[in-house]
Amino acid sequence: MSLRTSTLGFPRTGPKREMKMALEKYWSGAISAEELMSTSDSIAVKSYEEQLSRGVDFIGVGDHTLYDHILDWSERFGLTCTRVKAAKLTGLDAYFTQARGRDGIHALDMTKYFDSNYHYMVPEVPDDVTPTGDFKEFIRQIKLGQQTVGKEKTVPIIVGPLTLSKLCKPCGDLSSDELLTRLLPCYEQLLKELQQIGVSEVQFHEPWFVKSEAVNLKDVASALYGKGSALTSSKSGISVNLCIHFDSLHVDVYKYIITLDVERITLDFCRGSSMLSILEREGFPNNKQLGAGIVDGRNVWKSEESAAKLLTRIRKLVADDNKVVVSPSCSLQFIPYDLSLEKDLPSDVREQLAFAVQKLDVLVKLASSSSATSTSTIKSNGDYEWVGEDNTSGADDISKATKVGEVTVTADMFSRSEAFDVRREKQVSVPRFPTTTIGSFPQTPELRRNRLAWKQKKLSEADYQQVIDAELKKNIDIQTDIGLDIFVHGEPERSDMVEHFGQRLEGFSFTNHGWVQSYGSRYVRPPIICGPVSRREPMTVREFKVAQEMTDRPVKGMLTGPVTILNWSFCRVDTPRWKQALEVALAIREEVADLEAAGCRVIQVDEAALRERMPLKDEEAASYMSWAVKSFRLSTAVAKSSTQIVTHMCYSTFEDIIDKIDEMDADVLTIENSRSGNEMLSALSGFGYNRDIGPGVYDIHSPVIPSKDELIEQVRNLAQSGLPLDRIWVNPDCGLKTRKWNEVIPSLKNMVAAAKVLRDETAPRMG
């Protein structure tokens, strides 16, 4: 018999980025709020129709969002941040101000959603908060789903109370436990409203249960989902599917989870290597349904054979097919929308891929068959056995002689030739509070049109290089006028910080429409690693040399680090990620050497995604961080002592891995800081971090232009952080590609002016 199927969420983008385009039109005043909502609804309906047409039995609805689903839920519970309330903003004005900021009101902090590349807005919760439920918009979404696919197939997706309370940031002494207690009446109200419109089942998404601390949350779990809880069907009349994804459960957590009073438990059998073995060892209760998350919602490979093998073992264990529901491992929002839009992928790669729409086909196919009918292995230079990209076997021996392709990596390749204090005296000389930017500058519509024409072979290589060189000249002239101390070339030749390098490396494939939401209206197109990685030729040297010849100021060489390239790509599943990271690191190492040989004195190797994909369990994080740090060091240790190595990190929490950041041995660390209230600075100071650091002084994800006075105050805060004054750099939070020149130029001028004021304030006094 065929098993039933369920989905846990779908891309909110639209097939061709319709949501992004509607948002940007709304922000520019080109369309009304009503037109924005109409477009949003049509995208949601199309996703529901797609799932219905593919034969899915239980369709997760209500996860569609204008910007961010965590921001949506904080608004539904009345958690609008205090400064927005004080400005008496309401509706979309309040919503988008929290997301993007406006004059005089800074945006909410933004950070990674668990170990994904999706960023969520962090709700700020004051001590005196009293949550209030306003679910009109959510109920409207659910009704829209019911009208589209029918009531019996419509399953509302709800961010669970434990997870939501943990994702919030208290602004005082309020604990997440107390916030959870205050939220529960609103969740009860929500279930009553859903019951009134004929909802029979809901999904509570509670990925927090995969965290290490979950071993101590048994009582919390029981209070939320145990017998007699207001969230269970015995009280609400609505069946509960408790969805726990992104990793395996700890065995002790699994033991109490299966005792909860819920009808279905959906588990992730893709990201967690031990979930199936725990299930087989501990068994599964015969009074519950098992949601088998066997279709990988975080990668684009079909992996039908490995999923079929998992399903066979699960069916033997549960024994009753009526109690097994096949699902993706998590929401499909983390992968592109539709593979059928791709016409240029190599056929041998394409036939092994599945985007969100095709994952539905895999889901239904697996549910209707007990055996695999196609292979999941990657056919690149032969057939490979699926081993799981998170396999860490052998990772602890990286520092020993390790064969990577044709290169033998030895211990001496991971260390700079001299210690930081010795190196620093040999590197570029700068004034106190030196100013720079993170790398990219605005890309105008004209530049994008020229790039597209070049890709379509409507513009010759020579003519395109003239376009790029003209942009380089403009960028250098603007920086000269502003008065920055260290220049960048501005990256006009790059569409994306990962795609640019992948296109110049062996082993990568690329899509035309493979967009994935990173946050809000920011979408990325992750490359697909489909074979061994190596460098064909220099990737950035030409643009550096052209830019450096235009100025006497040092121009940074701009590279993306191996871990970020890996984490922002869809990896192979036949080779452990740590091995793929070493391949990329060797390619970047060659580029560092070539930039240095071309005269580059400052080389930035961005590791924005270092923290990303770090295991969610503390006890498993050490192995990941070990090979991640070593990969960075392998890529940069080739540099001479006189070459300054910079790295950049952003929009994640780094306080608990400062020791690993220190081990990276970069000369300068630049970090996102403006939204997070200098928390990272305090942690670095407390740790005794003694290298140079450039905390972001303004938010580049907001259109707001910071005033000179605001930036003076921010730089003054840096000076008072406890970090050595001569080691503090002044820079924006991140690259400036998504901003407009009329925002960037005044912002940078104010930043440089602020740095000069602080130089005067802190200059040694004579006499």
Side-chain angles (χ1 to χ4, degrees), residues 51-275:
Q51 294 170 77
L52 178 67
S53 69
R54 301 283 167 159
V56 177
D57 296 303
F58 304 109
I59 297 172
V61 303
D63 60 316
H64 185 74
T65 180
L66 293 175
Y67 199 93
D68 168 48
H69 66 289
I70 300 299
L71 179 59
D72 292 349
W73 283 105
S74 69
E75 285 290 279
R76 289 164 188 158
F77 288 116
L79 304 182
T80 303
C81 75
T82 303
R83 59 186 172 277
V84 171
K85 285 183 179 178
K88 301 189 184 306
L89 297 173
T90 59
L92 290 181
D93 286 341
Y95 182 82
F96 287 126
T97 297
Q98 290 177 97
R100 307 175 73 231
R102 64 166 57 191
D103 288 338
I105 305 176
H106 65 271
L108 293 173
D109 195 5
M110 181 170 66
T111 195
K112 308 284 182 170
Y113 189 63
F114 291 86
D115 63 342
S116 75
N117 184 33
Y118 179 75
H119 303 67
Y120 75 95
M121 310 308 300
V122 183
E124 297 174 6
V125 185
D127 286 343
D128 61 353
V129 68
T130 301
T132 55
D134 183 354
F135 305 114
K136 290 191 294 293
E137 178 55 30
F138 184 66
I139 295 297
R140 191 186 71 81
Q141 280 198 48
I142 304 309
K143 288 181 176 179
L144 189 64
Q146 291 175 331
Q147 293 165 9
T148 306
V149 303
K151 286 187 177 182
E152 69 285 355
K153 289 183 176 289
T154 300
V155 183
I157 296 172
I158 303 171
V159 175
L162 172 65
T163 296
L164 182 61
S165 64
K166 293 291 188 179
L167 295 180
C168 291
K169 179 168 71 174
C171 296
D173 297 326
L174 179 70
S175 68
S176 61
D177 289 343
E178 176 58 27
L179 176 59
L180 178 59
T181 299
R182 298 183 193 182
L183 284 170
L184 277 179
C186 296
Y187 275 94
E188 294 178 41
Q189 174 191 338
L190 172 59
L191 291 178
K192 289 177 182 177
E193 293 186 26
L194 290 172
Q195 196 274 336
Q196 290 169 2
I197 63 169
V199 168
S200 59
E201 177 183 326
V202 297
Q203 296 175 11
F204 278 115
H205 285 207
E206 290 283 22
W208 201 268
F209 281 119
V210 305
K211 304 272 281 185
S212 292
E213 70 172 82
V215 295
N216 300 316
L217 296 176
K218 180 178 180 179
D219 291 344
V220 173
S222 182
L224 294 176
Y225 302 108
K227 195 169 184 62
S229 164
L231 302 187
T232 59
S233 61
S234 61
K235 294 289 185 179
S236 70
I238 298 177
S239 296
V240 172
N241 179 6
L242 182 61
C243 303
I244 305 172
H245 35 265
F246 299 148
D247 202 349
S248 301
L249 291 173
H250 187 283
V251 62
D252 292 338
V253 177
Y254 176 78
K255 286 178 179 179
Y256 73 69
I257 288 291
I258 60 176
T259 69
L260 299 176
D261 189 19
V262 297
E263 282 67 31
R264 188 184 309 155
I265 301 171
T266 296
L267 301 174
D268 186 338
F269 291 91
C270 296
R271 289 287 145 171
S273 59
S274 62
M275 195 66 257

Side-chain angles (χ1 to χ4, degrees), residues 529-713:
I529 303 178
C530 54
V533 176
S534 61
R535 193 185 73 143
R536 292 190 292 266
E537 59 187 6
M539 302 177 286
T540 65
V541 173
R542 181 197 174 276
E543 287 75 23
F544 160 74
K545 291 174 70 173
V546 171
Q548 187 62 82
E549 288 170 359
M550 297 174 178
T551 179
D552 293 331
R553 297 283 177 93
V555 175
K556 286 195 278 190
M558 299 300 306
L559 306 176
T560 302
V563 181
T564 296
I565 288 177
L566 190 72
N567 285 345
W568 286 357
S569 300
F570 292 118
C571 301
R572 298 165 67 179
V573 293
D574 63 323
T575 302
R577 285 166 61 237
W578 68 266
K579 289 187 177 179
Q580 297 176 64
L582 291 187
E583 292 176 354
V584 180
L586 287 173
I588 300 301
R589 181 184 178 93
E590 293 175 7
E591 192 71 12
V592 168
D594 282 348
L595 280 169
E596 191 176 65
C600 190
R601 292 175 285 169
V602 183
I603 301 176
Q604 182 169 311
V605 183
D606 289 338
E607 284 294 15
L610 180 77
R611 176 64 185 262
E612 213 163 288
R613 293 299 308 275
M614 186 174 84
L616 296 170
K617 292 182 180 63
D618 299 338
E619 60 271 22
E620 298 173 3
S623 177
Y624 167 85
M625 287 307 305
S626 175
W627 66 253
V629 168
K630 287 173 183 174
S631 297
F632 176 83
R633 291 180 63 137
L634 178 62
S635 69
T636 58
V638 68
K640 298 175 183 175
S641 293
S642 57
T643 300
Q644 185 180 76
I645 295 294
V646 183
T647 193
H648 175 67
M649 300 178 184
C650 57
Y651 298 102
S652 191
T653 53
F654 299 106
E655 289 87 344
D656 59 340
I657 59 167
I658 291 176
D659 58 333
K660 300 303 178 184
I661 294 173
D662 191 48
E663 288 178 20
M664 292 171 70
D665 199 24
D667 299 303
V668 182
L669 165 68
T670 64
I671 55 168
E672 173 274 326
N673 176 69
S674 67
R675 289 193 181 195
S676 52
N678 296 328
E679 293 171 0
M680 183 63 171
L681 293 190
S682 300
L684 287 166
S685 178
F687 176 79
Y689 190 82
N690 66 353
R691 293 173 175 80
D692 287 21
I693 180 165
V697 296
Y698 78 90
D699 179 14
I700 65 90
H701 295 297
S702 170
V704 175
I705 298 170
S707 69
K708 176 181 172 181
D709 288 342
E710 289 172 330
L711 289 170
I712 288 173
E713 186 61 27

Side-chain angles (χ1 to χ4, degrees), residues 348-590:
D348 61 331
V349 174
R350 178 191 171 90
E351 68 185 11
Q352 299 173 76
L353 301 180
F355 292 176
V357 169
Q358 289 70 38
K359 292 279 185 178
L360 302 176
D361 293 334
V362 172
L363 187 72
V364 172
K365 184 177 181 180
L366 288 166
S368 61
S369 174
S370 60
S371 61
T373 55
S374 64
T375 180
S376 68
T377 54
I378 302 172
K379 300 180 181 68
S380 176
N381 297 327
D383 291 345
Y384 293 91
E385 180 182 359
W386 189 93
V387 299
E389 59 189 277
D390 290 314
N391 188 310
T392 59
S393 176
D396 294 336
D397 296 328
I398 286 178
S399 292
K400 300 176 183 178
T402 301
K403 191 77 171 176
V404 180
E406 299 301 316
V407 178
T408 299
V409 177
T410 55
D412 61 298
M413 296 173 68
F414 294 92
S415 298
R416 302 284 293 273
S417 60
E418 295 179 301
F420 168 72
D421 286 340
V422 177
R423 299 196 304 262
R424 193 172 188 271
E425 298 303 316
K426 300 178 180 181
Q427 293 171 1
V428 59
S429 178
V430 290
R432 179 172 286 184
F433 300 115
T435 56
T436 188
T437 62
I438 300 303
S440 61
F441 277 153
Q443 298 207 352
T444 62
E446 181 182 8
L447 176 60
R448 295 178 189 276
R449 284 193 296 269
N450 280 314
R451 182 184 297 124
L452 179 61
W454 170 68
K455 286 182 176 180
Q456 295 175 339
K457 302 189 183 305
K458 297 177 181 177
L459 188 67
S460 71
E461 180 72 25
D463 288 342
Y464 181 61
Q465 292 295 352
Q466 287 185 1
V467 170
I468 296 301
D469 291 353
E471 286 291 317
L472 295 175
K473 179 68 164 61
K474 180 175 74 173
N475 292 344
I476 295 297
D477 288 347
I478 287 173
Q479 292 173 91
T480 302
D481 180 60
I482 290 170
L484 291 164
D485 296 302
I486 301 293
F487 286 9
V488 297
H489 77 284
E491 306 177 14
E493 78 284 9
R494 306 181 191 184
S495 59
D496 178 85
M497 65 184 288
V498 172
E499 182 182 64
H500 176 81
F501 292 95
Q503 288 172 337
R504 289 155 180 79
L505 294 169
E506 296 290 347
F508 285 79
S509 289
F510 301 88
T511 66
N512 294 317
H513 300 282
W515 298 99
V516 177
Q517 185 186 27
S518 178
Y519 64 87
S521 64
R522 170 66 171 159
Y523 296 179
V524 294
R525 232 174 0 188
I528 301 166
I529 303 178
C530 54
V533 176
S534 61
R535 193 185 73 143
R536 292 190 292 266
E537 59 187 6
M539 302 177 286
T540 65
V541 173
R542 181 197 174 276
E543 287 75 23
F544 160 74
K545 291 174 70 173
V546 171
Q548 187 62 82
E549 288 170 359
M550 297 174 178
T551 179
D552 293 331
R553 297 283 177 93
V555 175
K556 286 195 278 190
M558 299 300 306
L559 306 176
T560 302
V563 181
T564 296
I565 288 177
L566 190 72
N567 285 345
W568 286 357
S569 300
F570 292 118
C571 301
R572 298 165 67 179
V573 293
D574 63 323
T575 302
R577 285 166 61 237
W578 68 266
K579 289 187 177 179
Q580 297 176 64
L582 291 187
E583 292 176 354
V584 180
L586 287 173
I588 300 301
R589 181 184 178 93
E590 293 175 7

Side-chain angles (χ1 to χ4, degrees), residues 306-363:
S306 58
K309 290 176 181 177
L310 282 171
L311 185 56
T312 297
R313 292 169 68 181
I314 289 169
R315 293 174 81 167
K316 287 180 180 178
L317 176 71
V318 176
D320 184 352
D321 280 354
N322 287 315
K323 293 183 177 178
V324 177
V325 178
V326 183
S327 81
S329 61
C330 60
S331 170
L332 296 175
Q333 72 176 84
F334 305 104
I335 59 176
Y337 200 102
D338 187 359
L339 181 64
S340 71
L341 298 172
E342 303 300 332
K343 309 301 181 185
D344 300 325
L345 281 167
S347 58
D348 61 331
V349 174
R350 178 191 171 90
E351 68 185 11
Q352 299 173 76
L353 301 180
F355 292 176
V357 169
Q358 289 70 38
K359 292 279 185 178
L360 302 176
D361 293 334
V362 172
L363 187 72

